[in-house]
């Protein structure tokens, strides 16, 4: 059975501009995982490339990112961090 909810730990959200990622921890079915969402996902969701506002964009679209995180987790649960890409958007 597939997981139906990713709870994002907002205290762990960090911008990694060198890697063009926003990283965070999340919990799925009482298991904790490390995630990273590509800037390209933020751009696809917002229509604007992240500049100095990647965390703000992440927060605005956190529900869609959480859904994409579940897709990424199902694709590769052994990765650390679990990388969320544009392919994980529905």
């Amino acid at each position: 059975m597939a997981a139906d909810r990713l709870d994002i730990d907002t205290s762990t959200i960090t911008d990694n501009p060198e890697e063009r990622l926003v990283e965070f921890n999340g919990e799925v079915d009482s298991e904790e995982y490390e995630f990273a969402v590509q800037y390209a996902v933020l751009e696809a969701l917002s229509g604007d490339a992240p500049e100095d506002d990647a965390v703000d964009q992440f927060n605005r679209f956190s529900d869609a990112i959480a859904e994409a995180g579940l897709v990424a987790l199902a694709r590769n649960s052994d990765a650390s961090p679990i990388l969320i890409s544009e392919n994980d958007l529905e």
Side-chain angles (χ1 to χ4, degrees):
M1 181 173 161
D4 62 353
R5 182 180 171 104
L6 164 60
D7 292 316
I8 296 171
D9 181 350
T10 57
S11 69
T12 64
I13 299 170
T14 56
D15 188 8
N16 183 344
E18 293 82 26
E19 299 291 326
R20 298 187 47 79
L21 299 169
V22 174
E23 301 169 337
F24 65 96
N25 292 343
E27 186 176 303
V28 178
D29 294 337
S30 301
E31 294 286 328
E32 213 170 289
Y33 297 93
E34 294 178 10
F35 291 88
V37 61
Q38 296 176 333
Y39 275 21
V41 172
L42 301 175
E43 185 172 0
L45 291 168
S46 70
D48 294 317
E51 301 275 334
D52 294 329
D53 63 345
V55 171
D56 290 335
Q57 284 185 358
F58 178 96
N59 287 326
R60 280 189 302 175
F61 297 100
S62 61
D63 290 341
I65 292 168
E67 289 179 25
L70 290 174
V71 174
L73 177 64
R75 179 176 34 80
N76 188 1
S77 63
D78 293 332
S80 183
I82 296 166
L83 186 62
I84 302 170
S85 70
E86 286 180 273
N87 294 336
D88 300 315
L89 295 173
E90 292 186 4

